[in-house]
Amino acid sequence: MRAEFKIQDGWFFMSEHLIQPDHQDFVFDPMSSDFDRDPYPILANLREHEPVYWWPQARGWFLTRHDDIVSVLADEDRFSPNEVHWEYFIEPAEEVRNHPVLRIRDSSILSVEGAQHARIRKLAFKALSRRAVRTIQPLMTSLIEEVMAPLRGRRECDFVTEIASPYPIGVISRLLGIPGNSDREMRFKKLADAVVVAFNPMIDEATQLRSIHLMEGYLAEIAEWMEEKRRKPTDDLMSHLVQVEHEGDRFNTDEILSLISALLVAGAETTANSLSFGMLELLRHPDQMKRFKEDPSCRFNAAYEMVRYEMPGRFLRRYAKKDTDIRGKKVRAGQAVYISVASAQRDPLFMPDCDQFDITREPRDLSAFGIGRHFCIGAQLARLEIEIALGHFLASFEDIRLACSFEDVPFRSNPVIRGPASIPLLFESVA
Ligand code: HEM
């Protein structure tokens, strides 16, 4: 059989199979529009033929098998999330080295290690769980009603821009105690946009610097507000963060600003995209939609299945701290290792029917939210947000359908996050 090559959006396809990764014509581009829409055939190809793939354009290893991913994420002695260990790490320029925003970014829970990380995480958990037990559920319910209010009486909406994007950032903002529809809430949303860019090493330096300068003003306002809470605490996450104490230890101002930034980086866009993917997959699978609507008890696990089945993150990054070996490949100290959690969730060796979307599935593990010491601290929160937002939306509107074909749903182009840019819906309001 003769293989015929076709080039489409930068990808090479053969008539019968995807080109194997060891072929000279193989091109791997997880930023391409095909990958945005459906990364899973490419990931399956790598998983099968080259699970520890040298990705030349990114100068690092790309991992796709579940067991390799688990062992790298669990091993902080060999692999670090902190980019100072990267062989291509560039020290920030002299004039910005002591910039307060860089200080905050570099001491983020997402990248610090060892005792420093354990300490921040302990305090963060304590502050979050105080708030969590008491008031999260009613807060989420009233917020989704508020976000949906402008849709009443209408017969169409864009699910991404009107529901999925504003909701998770609203949850973080209300948790912190920021009053709804306030000037402070509007400025907090602007901080969220800036912080995602400023914390992203894959975005060009000039854009990052602009965002760092923008963040400075917003963070100064939050620091002022933090002082108000120190003087007069109330029952909200910001007050808990300033008060929380563990064995005589407390957060300082920079650490609280850093943690709030990390919650925004890790918790807003991820959950927004999972909500969007969740809605799309329910529409694509009417039997699952029926089950989700009829059986509220399945919704918390369903939320995990939505995250597992369509991962919003492209990959996690780790840097080798010493020379090591992964599946026979020599990984040098200083090299980057890109970890495809999306691929791990679709590894048939981990889960034989992994390509099936089944909201009644008991999660086998929660590795879509990471592994080891950096396991997501917002995992339960995210699942609850998805359960509540989709549950309320589907109960408030009926005859919900896509206003375009699935193939025409546009995807966003973002170097870190994957998800639909817009989901145009048609529906009738429930009387
Ligand atoms: C569907 C939504 C979400 C997904 C898929 C997700 C996924 C993840 C993953 C994979 C990690 C591990 C990162 C690593 O090992 O480098 C992580 C960490 C983290 N997540 Fe989430 N997350 C979600 C929602 C949230 C929410 C709602 C919050 C909080 C508001 C949050 C806060 C965090 C924080 C602070 C970390 C860092 C923890 C640490 O380094 O100790 N995430 N998340």
Side-chain angles (χ1 to χ4, degrees):
M1 184 183 59
R2 233 188 58 202
E4 286 174 15
F5 292 93
K6 233 172 51 174
I7 301 177
Q8 211 179 297
D9 283 346
W11 291 95
F12 291 78
F13 291 96
M14 281 201 276
S15 54
E16 294 291 316
H17 307 286
L18 285 171
I19 293 180
Q20 291 191 6
D22 58 355
H23 192 284
Q24 58 175 4
D25 290 331
F26 180 79
V27 177
F28 177 59
D29 178 7
M31 310 298 166
S32 74
S33 56
D34 272 358
F35 195 91
D36 285 336
R37 186 166 291 281
D38 184 7
Y40 294 104
I42 315 284
L43 293 174
N45 187 12
L46 282 173
R47 213 167 40 233
E48 190 178 342
H49 301 289
E50 198 72 22
V52 183
Y53 169 69
W54 176 253
W55 179 14
Q57 289 80 3
R59 299 181 292 188
W61 299 95
F62 193 87
L63 306 192
T64 41
R65 288 225 180 137
H66 187 272
D67 50 359
D68 293 338
I69 284 170
V70 169
S71 56
V72 167
L73 288 178
D75 189 346
E76 224 189 59
D77 286 339
R78 287 188 304 155
F79 299 100
S80 166
N82 195 323
E83 58 170 350
V84 295
H85 295 285
W86 192 25
E87 56 189 339
Y88 299 109
F89 174 72
I90 300 171
E91 282 281 348
E94 186 73 40
E95 65 272 20
V96 288
R97 199 162 300 159
N98 285 320
H99 192 285
V101 174
L102 284 187
R103 228 175 37 230
I104 283 166
R105 184 187 74 177
D106 296 342
S107 60
S108 164
I109 185 171
L110 289 152
S111 59
V112 293
E113 301 171 85
Q116 191 187 2
H117 175 257
R119 172 183 166 267
I120 295 177
R121 202 170 155 105
K122 210 170 276 162
L123 285 168
F125 251 125
K126 220 166 163 180
L128 268 165
S129 57
R130 277 206 218 171
R131 176 73 182 167
V133 223
R134 284 203 282 267
T135 48
I136 272 185
Q137 212 148 334
L139 179 148
M140 286 183 178
T141 306
S142 71
L143 183 65
I144 189 64
E145 289 300 334
E146 223 178 274
V147 173
M148 287 188 320
L151 271 53
R152 304 275 179 201
R154 280 170 48 191
R155 291 173 159 200
E156 46 59 51
C157 78
D158 178 356
F159 187 77
V160 174
T161 55
E162 296 187 85
I163 305 288
S165 290
Y167 183 62
I169 171 86
V171 170
I172 300 174
S173 148
R174 299 292 168 89
L175 267 179
L176 283 165
I178 299 176
N181 303 316
S182 60
D183 192 41
R184 190 166 266 167
E185 188 179 54
M186 212 183 67
R187 298 182 66 71
F188 187 69
K189 285 182 181 160
K190 292 204 169 135
L191 167 69
D193 292 340
V195 84
V196 170
V197 177
F199 274 47
N200 182 351
M202 304 202 59
I203 286 178
D204 70 89
E205 206 181 330
T207 318
Q208 269 201 38
L209 277 178
R210 261 199 313 279
S211 298
I212 286 172
H213 288 304
L214 263 179
M215 268 180 77
E216 200 175 358
Y218 298 133
L219 287 177
E221 279 176 42
I222 294 188
E224 260 174 47
W225 169 49
M226 205 184 296
E227 289 315 310
E228 283 169 32
K229 293 289 176 181
R230 269 193 228 281
R231 286 192 298 273
K232 213 169 156 198
T234 41
D235 185 15
D236 51 50
L237 181 58
M238 182 60 104
S239 305
H240 297 323
L241 286 171
V242 296
Q243 287 176 308
V244 74
E245 191 183 317
H246 183 75
E247 293 169 1
D249 187 16
R250 283 184 173 224
F251 275 134
N252 64 34
T253 300
D254 271 5
E255 286 169 338
I256 296 180
L257 292 177
S258 177
L259 186 65
I260 291 174
S261 306
L263 293 181
L264 289 171
V265 170
E269 288 274 318
T270 44
T271 313
N273 284 294
S274 289
L275 266 171
S276 299
F277 275 129
M279 174 55 83
L280 264 188
E281 292 314 316
L282 289 180
L283 289 167
R284 211 192 300 266
H285 299 88
D287 57 324
Q288 305 288 309
M289 171 72 95
K290 187 166 181 293
R291 184 75 191 250
F292 188 91
K293 282 166 90 163
E294 287 174 359
D295 179 8
S297 72
C298 77
R299 290 183 191 158
F300 192 62
N301 278 350
Y304 185 73
E305 178 67 355
M306 290 165 187
V307 178
R308 181 200 75 80
Y309 188 76
E310 281 284 13
M311 272 300 297
R314 283 182 197 279
F315 42 73
L316 301 177
R317 252 186 313 262
R318 291 295 187 266
Y319 306 97
K321 292 203 279 190
K322 35 179 104 154
D323 289 350
T324 185
D325 181 291
I326 308 176
R327 207 174 278 281
K329 297 275 169 86
K330 301 274 169 248
V331 176
R332 267 191 297 102
Q335 285 185 329
V337 179
Y338 298 88
I339 292 164
S340 173
V341 181
S343 173
Q345 299 307 313
R346 298 284 198 107
D347 184 344
L349 295 175
F350 164 63
M351 189 184 277
D353 62 345
C354 57
D355 285 331
Q356 209 169 314
F357 178 64
D358 176 3
I359 63 165
T360 62
R361 191 194 293 278
E362 271 296 320
R364 277 204 52 190
D365 65 11
L366 294 180
S367 55
F369 287 108
I371 297 275
R373 296 186 191 158
H374 289 271
F375 180 80
C376 178
I377 61 174
Q380 301 301 77
L381 193 70
R383 290 171 77 184
L384 206 56
E385 281 180 54
I386 297 169
E387 170 184 351
I388 290 176
L390 287 180
H392 278 253
F393 187 84
L394 296 173
S396 304
F397 304 100
E398 56 189 20
D399 196 17
I400 301 171
R401 57 217 183 274
L402 258 185
C404 62
S405 67
F406 285 102
E407 292 68 40
D408 286 336
V409 168
F411 273 67
R412 57 180 82 201
S413 120
N414 176 307
V416 184
I417 287 282
R418 205 189 125 241
S422 156
I423 304 181
L425 293 181
L426 301 172
F427 50 78
E428 303 298 327
S429 287
V430 171

